[in-house]
Amino acid sequence: MSGYRHAIVIGASSGIGHALAERLAKSGCRVAAIARRKDLLGALAEKYPDLVFVFEHDVADTETVPAVFQEAAKQLGGLDLVIYTAGVMPEVGAMEFCFEKDRAMVEVNLLGAIAWLNQAAIRFQNTRHGTIVGIGSVAGDRGRCGQPVYNATKAALATYLEALRNRLARRGVRVVTIKPGPVQTEMTARLHLRGAMSAEAAARLILIKSRRTGEHYLKFGHWLAFGIIRNIPSAIFRRLRV
Ligand SMILES: NC(=O)c1ccc[n+]([C@@H]2O[C@H](COP(=O)([O-])OP(=O)(O)OC[C@H]3O[C@@H](n4cnc5c(N)ncnc54)[C@H](OP(=O)(O)O)[C@@H]3O)[C@@H](O)[C@H]2O)c1
């Protein structure tokens, strides 16, 4: 049992978000599943007909977020969990600087998150309960050569979530930042990651960790390794390949 009864999952059509939505529905939670690919969301709704509600939505359309949020909460009949997991990480060449790709990452990974989670914050500060979960990444812990803007969006997301947590703690609202390491999903399929976790395993751990406000890595090894990596002086970090 997840313990949640009404949840919105933004980015529910594939990967970690799909696994989260399915796990929640399996536990009897009513889920508003939100993403652009309606067919994939529809397949989930067919599997859990009375529990999964489909909303076709592009998070880059930030002006429509308040209305979609209200409608989702209405159809669910309540709300105690909002998970923002929508994200993009396009392939970026070693010395490529492409503003269009960068803009897409900022729009989906950061601006969409702020648009959605501000709505969750407004609702939960009034109801004085609820859990907000943002899916960050270990990639946000340092600025690396490979993905400057992906790293930056995840760092900014973590700082935004920390501030929400500090604001909302006194209203009894949990704000949880999850920093996964490698997970096998569409996003990472081209990278042929070794030792990556399955999306289902990640979803299981995320729901467990969502019970405690704060910032969480999914593995103890990541917590330890990134505790060290975060503290490596820049002049040394520049020369390392981590
Ligand atoms: N996989 C990893 O190794 C890893 C590690 C650390 C963190 N993460 C983070 O985990 C989250 C989930 O990623 P994933 O690995 O599960 O990737 P994924 O399978 O590619 O899933 C990405 C999800 O984001 C949604 N999305 C993307 N653009 C959107 C848009 N404009 N509007 C609405 N929804 C949009 C996609 O839905 P539609 O395309 O249907 O819209 C999809 O549901 C991301 O935030 C990612 O940065 C992943």
Side-chain angles (χ1 to χ4, degrees):
M1 287 293 285
S2 69
Y4 296 109
R5 298 184 59 218
H6 308 97
I8 296 178
V9 180
I10 306 108
S13 58
S14 65
I16 298 170
H18 184 273
L20 281 163
E22 176 142 36
R23 201 169 180 88
L24 285 162
K26 248 186 202 157
S27 76
C29 178
R30 290 160 71 84
V31 182
I34 292 169
R36 291 167 304 178
R37 288 172 294 174
K38 205 178 173 188
D39 50 332
L40 298 178
L41 300 175
L44 192 62
E46 266 175 35
K47 226 167 147 184
Y48 303 94
D50 299 326
L51 293 170
V52 173
F53 302 81
V54 170
F55 292 86
E56 185 182 6
H57 167 76
D58 185 334
V59 298
D61 294 337
T62 46
E63 67 282 7
T64 65
V65 169
V68 183
F69 181 93
Q70 292 304 331
E71 185 55 29
K74 193 171 142 197
Q75 287 196 26
L76 290 173
L79 192 61
D80 50 17
L81 173 67
V82 178
I83 305 180
Y84 191 92
T85 179
V88 289
M89 185 181 70
E91 194 164 0
V92 172
M95 291 305 284
E96 180 186 5
F97 298 92
C98 170
F99 184 69
E100 283 317 305
K101 290 181 185 178
D102 293 345
R103 184 203 292 270
M105 287 186 272
V106 173
E107 282 181 351
V108 177
N109 304 358
L110 184 59
L111 289 179
I114 295 171
W116 273 93
L117 300 182
N118 277 357
Q119 292 300 307
I122 292 165
R123 181 177 172 108
F124 290 155
Q125 75 171 343
N126 292 326
T127 57
R128 292 186 169 261
H129 90 288
T131 300
I132 293 172
V133 178
I135 308 300
S137 173
V138 296
D141 280 1
R142 291 303 297 247
R144 302 174 190 219
C145 294
Q147 280 282 359
V149 174
Y150 181 77
N151 294 174
T153 60
K154 293 301 183 180
L157 179 65
T159 304
Y160 162 75
L161 289 169
E162 182 184 26
L164 275 198
R165 180 155 53 244
N166 295 340
R167 277 190 171 194
L168 295 172
R170 63 200 72 166
R171 299 287 178 97
V173 179
R174 278 197 297 254
V175 180
V176 178
T177 310
I178 300 289
K179 293 184 167 183
V183 181
Q184 287 157 4
T185 64
E186 285 179 18
M187 180 183 277
T188 54
R190 68 175 187 274
L191 303 175
H192 306 293
L193 298 170
R194 276 190 306 156
M197 194 178 274
S198 70
E200 290 70 27
R204 187 181 72 81
L205 290 172
I206 289 166
L207 289 177
I208 292 170
K209 290 184 184 269
S210 74
R211 290 283 164 204
R212 200 160 49 86
T213 202
E215 196 169 275
H216 306 294
Y217 294 86
L218 292 185
K219 285 184 169 177
F220 174 73
H222 290 159
W223 174 80
L224 197 62
F226 283 90
I228 296 166
I229 289 169
R230 279 202 313 275
N231 288 296
I232 297 173
S234 280
I236 298 172
F237 189 73
R238 206 171 299 143
R239 295 189 201 106
L240 301 177
R241 297 206 164 270
V242 291

